[in-house]
Amino acid sequence: MARPSAWTARCGWRRANATRDTAGTCPRLNHISARGEGSMSTLSSVVRSVRLWWAIPVDYWWLVGYLESHLLARMARAVVATFSILFGATAILLVISQSGPHGVPGNVLGGVTAGVSLLWAARWSFGSWPQLWLSQLTVVLADGCISLLCVQTDDAVVGLLALVGFVLTTAYTVIFHGPKLLLLHMFWVLASATIAFGRMWSTGAFGGDAGAIGVAVLGGFAFVVTPPVVQLGFWMMRTDAVESGMDPLTGVLNRRGLFMHVDAMESRADADPEAVIVVVAIDLDLFKQVNDTFGHSVGDEVLLRTARRIQTAARETAVLARVGGEEFVLLDVMSKVDIAPMAERVRHAIGEPAERAHVTASCGAACVAVADWTTIRRRDRTAVLETVLMRADRAMYDAKRGGRDRIVVDAVPVETASIE
């Protein structure tokens, strides 16, 4: 069974503590006591969330998949590529400016930084999404180049201003990486800012102005503290979003999660305009007898086993959701001639022998043509998917009435013109 999310655990802990009996003889003392317990609960919840945030592995590929499923991957790649080009152009401008790094070390550093930045921009524009280790290495190298460029500049003020480059690497690390790399990054930023600040102090750039010094210290503190807080909040919202779209028992999507993946079909549909978007409704036969005979715990095992068997039998591109007690839905893009063989593989996989509580399934399939799907306005796609799902349900019930443990395919694509 899937583990509860940090958000669920945190809220559950708070609810449990909120029900404590604080009754006593003095209403005012009771009020103070309840308020104190509420403060302790909040503090403990924050501590627990921070510990979970720190301990959970980086889900780098989840974010990549999320961006791709919401058609945001191309925009994200363009943003990173643009920042890389600006980073390289800034390195070149620093080298050719009067206050920038000079001499062989400075020129080499600027040239290497500019060259690597342009290569990285090309990688993001035309290559595949970088592996996790390459993304982490890029953050480390970029941090090192920014610090060296700051130290190499002749003008201490320009060197301090060059620290603005850390804004880009900080934003990238907050979004794509976990707390450990972010902490290492922020320590590096703090050390670099301290060195730059010390250079300016030694040159008398502050002129003994206590206000300027206070603003510099406050800005540095905010720059170091804000990113971890933002990443923690981003992680909590992301965890809540993931769990709200997933079935906690089987770990596959729930009905809401299925409809969140509607737009993801567009990018896959472009690959074959002659294909169809297929919805397969899968319902376990006589599942109530499993619960009545073996108990609900065994029924849960059957549902979990069924989800795993469906995933094994379906293609890797398929999207699986549990939309009811014992009903699953499979969503995929394929040729019409492949619908029946795919549904038959799924039906056969579910009905394979099991140690206990053997079950079979009835499957119904319906589809919509890719050529029609790509012309539908995005706001109308949910209605179209609902119609295809209704047709698949109807075919599934036809399979049950036909004797169960069989498939029925509605091969006539849904007419989208009548739905819009």
Side-chain angles (χ1 to χ4, degrees), residues 284 287 290 297-307 356-357 359:
L284 299 183
F287 183 72
V290 174
S297 61
V298 175
D300 289 347
E301 292 179 11
V302 171
L303 293 173
L304 184 57
R305 183 183 72 205
T306 299
R356 59 178 175 175
V359 294

Side-chain angles (χ1 to χ4, degrees), residues 15-94:
R15 283 194 297 268
N17 281 274
T19 59
R20 288 180 178 174
D21 182 13
T22 58
T25 56
C26 177
R28 179 171 176 80
L29 288 178
N30 290 338
H31 173 71
I32 296 175
S33 176
R35 185 172 59 183
E37 288 188 357
S39 300
M40 290 299 294
S41 298
T42 302
L43 178 60
S44 299
S45 298
V46 171
V47 172
R48 173 181 289 231
S49 297
V50 171
R51 288 178 176 175
L52 287 171
W53 167 63
W54 181 261
I56 291 179
V58 179
D59 48 358
Y60 174 78
W61 289 112
W62 176 91
L63 180 58
V64 174
Y66 180 87
L67 292 174
E68 291 177 344
S69 68
H70 287 71
L71 307 180
L72 297 174
R74 187 176 301 175
M75 183 181 69
R77 293 163 71 100
V79 170
V80 175
T82 301
F83 280 159
S84 300
I85 293 173
L86 293 176
F87 190 75
T90 302
I92 295 175
L93 291 175
L94 281 174

